[in-house]
Amino acid sequence: MRIDIISVIPELLESPLGHSIMKRAQAKGLLEVHTHQLRQWAVNEYGQVDDYQYGGGAGMVMMCEPLANAIESLSAQRHYDEVIYMTPDGPTLNQKTANTLSLKENLLLICGHYKGIDQRIRDHFVTMEISIGDYVLSGGELAAAVLVDAIGRLIPGVLGDETSALTDSFQDGLLAPPVYTRPADFRGWQVPAVLLSGDLKKVDEWRYEQALQRTESRRPDLQGDA
Ligand code: ADE
């Protein structure tokens, strides 16, 4: 899978995508991430990509021309399955969307800043909008990093143990059950005996029961979401 990201601060993406699982995914050739500085398509020699909003009001708006030129020039090199604008007023990202996007070949992500991007870009180029939650970030870069991470770890072969993404919270509409590691007794706090029993069927049943209980008490809205 290849993901291209248009941004005015591509440096913000370097660290989150340059370490750990995302680094490994790229090293293995399973994921390619390319960032593009929007100012390459600026309207003047000062690197301008934003302007005052029509109708007045505080805050700048990212202009049509640099964005349209960036999207068209990248789209001339490959077909994008989705052109995604990261925005707090889009539908909220969930595991189902991450699963769907992880099956795509090429994605183009647009990171907004200031008051956002000119509506005409959303109307004529953007095919999908994604928010990562009901709060406003300073720009779309951190949201894009979250999206790339959520998608990237689902690409087959990225996680060492293929089953570990399948047993994540949300994959089956349930939160994950509690987990424990050594020692079995820490300050008198015991690991549940069933996990030490060696009876895999009982362990599976216990985990399922715990997942159900957790979901019911913490996120009743999730039940049956898979
Ligand atoms: N840009 C600013 N805030 C955002 C959010 N919550 N989700 C996605 N993109 C954003």
Side-chain angles (χ1 to χ4, degrees), residues 111-184:
C111 303
H113 266 268
Y114 323 114
K115 280 282 164 201
I117 67 175
D118 190 298
Q119 181 61 37
R120 290 167 289 185
I121 296 296
R122 298 172 75 163
D123 293 342
H124 298 285
F125 290 102
V126 169
T127 60
M128 192 174 184
E129 299 186 331
I130 294 181
S131 163
I132 63 159
D134 289 346
Y135 42 81
V136 178
L137 302 166
S138 312
E141 285 77 10
L142 296 182
V146 167
L147 179 63
V148 173
D149 189 292
I151 294 171
R153 62 197 299 286
L154 296 172
I155 298 170
V158 167
L159 294 183
D161 176 0
E162 279 295 43
T163 60
S164 65
L166 296 176
T167 54
D168 282 346
S169 279
F170 307 113
Q171 278 299 4
D172 46 10
L174 292 175
L175 298 180
V179 292
Y180 299 86
T181 187
R182 288 185 291 182

Side-chain angles (χ1 to χ4, degrees), residues 33-168:
V33 183
H34 297 266
T35 57
H36 305 275
Q37 171 55 263
L38 179 63
R39 293 193 200 282
Q40 309 171 54
W41 292 281
V43 293
N44 57 33
E45 66 196 87
Y46 306 109
Q48 187 183 354
V49 293
D50 59 343
D51 210 337
Y52 297 102
Q53 52 178 315
Y54 278 122
M60 307 294 271
V61 174
M62 289 169 71
M63 302 168 80
C64 282
E65 192 183 325
L67 282 167
N69 287 336
I71 296 166
E72 280 174 343
S73 113
L74 294 171
S75 300
Q77 295 164 53
R78 62 190 45 80
H79 167 75
Y80 289 102
D81 301 297
E82 300 285 357
V83 177
I84 303 172
Y85 174 44
M86 305 308 302
T87 177
D89 58 13
T92 311
L93 178 63
N94 58 24
Q95 195 62 43
K96 201 166 165 184
T97 305
N99 288 344
T100 306
L101 290 174
S102 74
L103 302 173
K104 306 290 185 192
E105 280 294 309
N106 296 304
L107 299 175
L108 179 55
L109 273 47
I110 301 169
C111 303
H113 266 268
Y114 323 114
K115 280 282 164 201
I117 67 175
D118 190 298
Q119 181 61 37
R120 290 167 289 185
I121 296 296
R122 298 172 75 163
D123 293 342
H124 298 285
F125 290 102
V126 169
T127 60
M128 192 174 184
E129 299 186 331
I130 294 181
S131 163
I132 63 159
D134 289 346
Y135 42 81
V136 178
L137 302 166
S138 312
E141 285 77 10
L142 296 182
V146 167
L147 179 63
V148 173
D149 189 292
I151 294 171
R153 62 197 299 286
L154 296 172
I155 298 170
V158 167
L159 294 183
D161 176 0
E162 279 295 43
T163 60
S164 65
L166 296 176
T167 54
D168 282 346

